[in-house]
Amino acid sequence: MQRVTTYISWEIAEGTRLLVEEIPHLHGIHGVLEVRGQTMTRLREEVTARMPRAEEARYLQIPSGVPVLDSLYTSVDQHGIAYVLTRFVLRADLGAL
């Protein structure tokens, strides 16, 4: 089980229909933004292991003592600008890297 949160500035996301339940492009968020001229050319990933916050433990139904893997993906466009930030928090006992 995992929880995924994506951050995109409103300046970039406005008018893209990214707030609908299903992303309106075969290639997801990056496909929608590429149509608008913002192409991902690089991805930076930072991974840490930590104990879950109380709310994460409840949401992911994590037993006491089980850590999470916290993975932060930063998408960088063709101009070298970070434009999408996605955080994956997954149970370390049910996931692997």
Side-chain angles (χ1 to χ4, degrees), residues 1 60-69 90-96:
M1 292 179 61
L60 296 172
Q61 301 174 3
I62 301 174
S64 178
V66 173
V68 294
L69 297 172
L90 56 136
R91 289 176 55 156
D93 63 336
L94 298 179

Side-chain angles (χ1 to χ4, degrees), residues 25-94:
H25 194 282
L26 176 65
H27 300 290
I29 292 168
H30 290 94
V32 169
L33 297 176
E34 189 167 333
V35 167
R36 292 177 55 137
Q38 207 143 17
T39 302
M40 181 176 65
T41 58
R42 201 164 30 113
L43 180 69
R44 178 178 178 189
E45 180 181 16
E46 301 171 57
V47 180
T48 58
R50 61 175 173 78
M51 296 310 291
R53 296 178 184 99
E55 187 268 334
E56 292 169 333
R58 280 191 304 278
Y59 181 83
L60 296 172
Q61 301 174 3
I62 301 174
S64 178
V66 173
V68 294
L69 297 172
D70 190 332
S71 183
L72 188 63
Y73 289 81
T74 304
S75 301
V76 179
D77 71 9
Q78 72 271 23
H79 304 293
I81 298 169
Y83 70 109
V84 177
L85 181 68
T86 303
R87 167 165 270 136
F88 296 86
V89 177
L90 56 136
R91 289 176 55 156
D93 63 336
L94 298 179

